[in-house]
Amino acid sequence: LYIVDNTTLRTFDVSNAADPKPVGQTQIGFGIETIFPYQGNLFIGANDAMYIYDLENPANPRQLSRYSHFVGCDPVVAKGNYAFVTLRVTGCRPVGQNVLDVIDISNRSNPRVVGTYQMDGPYGLGITNNNTLFVCEGLNGMRVFDATDPLALR
């Protein structure tokens, strides 16, 4: 089991669900907000970056990379060779933009932005198995994208 707090990734052995045991912790940075497990990796959203951790050794996740961005609220999801990161400035930091970034993660050690979409005020997001990307826009509702082609969201 992996959990995050404001600065730390914590690892627990839950082989006995009635008695979880802490097995490790890793200092990441600041403003850690979200964690998304995908294909043997953890995608961690922080106020200033998206981190990718390798789970080859599940008890000891290892940082593969860090994609830096301006300071804002930053949840993340991943599917295929792409991660989707929303950045919101309202309520987090009064600088930057409200955007959805599409990040090529085909090389997990070197993620790179391949698309940016303007948003009203994104809060969270999710993606389905059939490539529907949902982005919550707070008081502005929800936006739904067809992410079949991540380089051209519709």
Side-chain angles (χ1 to χ4, degrees):
L1 171 69
Y2 304 99
I3 63 171
V4 291
D5 63 23
N6 192 48
T7 60
T8 308
L9 170 64
R10 300 178 192 280
T11 305
F12 291 83
D13 178 348
V14 292
S15 54
N16 177 356
D19 188 24
K21 302 274 191 229
V23 294
Q25 64 181 14
T26 304
Q27 294 299 311
I28 298 176
F30 78 95
I32 307 303
E33 295 182 352
T34 62
I35 185 169
F36 186 81
Y38 183 69
Q39 292 184 339
N41 298 115
L42 297 177
F43 292 82
I44 298 174
N47 288 159
D48 67 339
M50 174 195 73
Y51 297 85
I52 302 175
Y53 277 76
D54 179 278
L55 294 176
E56 185 176 328
N57 176 353
N60 188 24
R62 178 179 60 92
Q63 183 177 325
L64 290 178
S65 60
R66 179 181 190 267
Y67 155 68
S68 297
H69 53 68
F70 61 83
V71 175
C73 296
D74 171 16
V76 58
V77 297
K79 184 149 192 307
N81 287 324
Y82 296 91
F84 303 90
V85 173
T86 55
L87 301 168
R88 184 181 87 252
V89 295
T90 305
C92 290
R93 300 281 190 239
V95 296
Q97 301 176 34
N98 291 311
V99 297
L100 165 65
D101 277 348
V102 180
I103 302 165
D104 181 337
I105 55 169
S106 56
N107 177 350
R108 301 281 203 270
S109 297
N110 188 26
R112 60 187 181 83
V113 175
V114 292
T116 298
Y117 296 84
Q118 291 298 133
M119 304 299 289
D120 294 322
Y123 277 77
L125 70 168
I127 192 160
T128 66
N129 288 336
N130 68 353
N131 297 312
T132 302
L133 179 66
F134 297 94
V135 179
C136 300
E137 289 263 42
L139 296 176
N140 297 307
M142 179 172 55
R143 294 186 54 189
V144 180
F145 295 94
D146 178 349
T148 302
D149 179 359
L151 300 178
L153 299 180
R154 304 182 277 125

